[in-house]
Amino acid sequence: MLIAALAGTVVLLFVLSLAWGESAIAFGPACADLLAGRHSAGAVILGQLRLPRAILAVTVGGALGLSGAALQGYLRNPLADPGVLGVSGGAALGAVLVFYTGLMGLSVAMLPLGGLAGALLAVLLLMGLVGQGGALVLLLAGAALSSFAAALTALALNLMPSPYASFEIMHWVMGSLTDRTFTHVWISLPGTILGCLLMLTTARALDALALGDEVAESLGFRLRGPVGVQARVVLGAALSVGSCVAVAGAIGFVGLVIPHLLRPLTGHQPSRLLLPSFLGGAVLLLVADAAVRVLSTGTEIQIGVLTALAGAPVFFFRVLQMRRATS
């Protein structure tokens, strides 16, 4: 019932995202024109502006929510977040270097491709650092990689000769779905789908891991190695999050908040939290994207800023709950 309710909400919000926007269009005729291949104004707005934005809201939000649930299940830490791997920082650094080197002038696709290249390089470094180490080594390696990528990004911003380029970078890093096209969708979709599928294959192993590493291994689950649970969770989260950051910038708190909100509804069972977290992340980002359109007056609020503002109070409330429980 939870999955059905979330899926229905995603479909409803997706349709509303297509039907409603800054420019008023006749939704029914626009859909008919789009399906018939006619290039009316409504069909262009629907097919080239709203449809890729709505698709990215679903895939980016879903991938972030699923990554958060998978990482929290593997690390057995409810505060684990996709950003803990350092892949978001690597993607941001790759995009910054595209601006810094002037490659942005070659094609509109250079920015997401640079972000994706930075994310993939971060994955390779992370896997090389972790090796056969366990969850603690993964956390330390991710923290080191995040700090290093953040330092290099700050250095590039510091040395940037053009104030306009610095503004563009900061604007991108805050996260947005504005002006995205199907070029961005096709760049991000393969990595997002593959990464999500890899994480979903670990569902039963995550349930076993909740009882400890020894229990999971005694049940036949391989934790280390190139096809082990750790590799599939890390590589899956890195591929999906890196692909999302490459096209949408850094959108925080989705992977942290959604598993927290849905965990009590799934019986605190890691495997049952994965798919609802994907759908919940999609719902959150579709709602945030609609809120961005409503709240923006002149300058559009960045969606990453809005998700952070919405996510932080959840954890303030959680802190207050924990304080009452221990007092």
Side-chain angles (χ1 to χ4, degrees):
M1 290 181 63
L2 175 62
I3 292 175
L6 288 171
T9 305
V10 169
V11 172
L12 176 62
L13 291 172
F14 187 87
V15 173
L16 290 176
S17 181
L18 296 180
W20 177 75
E22 185 177 344
S23 302
I25 62 172
F27 183 61
C31 288
D33 289 343
L34 181 64
L35 293 173
R38 292 188 289 268
H39 298 286
S40 64
V44 170
I45 291 172
L46 185 63
Q48 297 185 17
L49 297 177
R50 295 185 186 174
L51 186 57
R53 182 169 181 162
I55 291 173
L56 285 175
V58 172
T59 57
V60 171
L64 292 174
L66 175 58
S67 298
L71 286 169
Q72 289 175 20
Y74 173 70
L75 297 172
R76 283 151 286 177
N77 184 342
L79 297 179
D81 176 77
V84 76
L85 299 178
V87 179
S88 299
L93 177 60
V96 167
L97 291 178
V98 167
F99 274 106
Y100 187 77
T101 56
L103 292 174
M104 186 66 182
L106 297 178
S107 169
V108 69
M110 289 306 297
L111 181 62
L113 287 174
L116 188 57
L120 292 175
L121 180 59
V123 172
L124 294 175
L125 287 173
L126 182 67
M127 298 303 289
L129 286 171
V130 174
Q132 296 297 312
L136 180 58
V137 177
L138 175 63
L139 285 171
L140 292 174
L145 196 56
S146 295
S147 299
F148 185 59
L152 290 179
T153 301
L155 178 62
L157 285 169
N158 184 243
L159 299 176
M160 193 70 68
S162 168
Y164 174 75
S166 299
F167 173 78
E168 285 294 312
I169 290 170
M170 294 304 299
H171 194 262
W172 181 85
V173 166
M174 287 187 288
S176 177
L177 298 176
T178 308
D179 299 328
R180 299 306 189 262
T181 67
F182 272 106
T183 298
H184 298 89
V185 173
W186 299 130
I187 287 173
S188 68
L189 210 55
T192 302
I193 292 174
L194 179 59
C196 289
L197 290 175
L198 279 173
M199 287 184 285
L200 289 172
T201 63
T202 65
R204 292 180 58 211
L206 294 180
D207 286 343
L209 272 172
L211 303 175
D213 289 3
E214 294 79 7
V215 173
E217 288 178 339
S218 69
L219 292 173
F221 294 105
R222 186 176 180 182
L223 303 184
R224 311 285 182 265
V227 294
V229 177
Q230 177 175 276
R232 281 181 283 156
V233 169
V234 171
L235 187 58
L239 278 174
S240 57
V241 172
S243 299
C244 293
V245 173
V247 298
I251 299 176
F253 273 93
V254 177
L256 202 57
V257 169
I258 289 300
H260 264 281
L261 294 178
L262 296 177
R263 188 171 284 111
L265 304 177
T266 60
H268 298 271
Q269 188 174 340
S271 64
R272 296 177 61 187
L273 183 61
L274 296 181
L275 187 54
S277 291
F278 180 92
L279 296 170
V283 168
L284 177 59
L285 216 57
L286 284 166
V287 170
D289 189 45
V292 162
R293 302 185 205 184
V294 171
L295 297 175
S296 296
T297 54
T299 301
E300 186 171 290
I301 299 172
Q302 299 298 94
I303 197 168
V305 175
L306 192 62
T307 56
L309 288 173
V314 173
F315 284 92
F316 284 130
F317 178 70
R318 179 63 177 158
V319 168
L320 292 175
Q321 279 188 320
M322 293 175 67
R323 192 178 70 176
R324 291 194 195 102
T326 55
S327 61

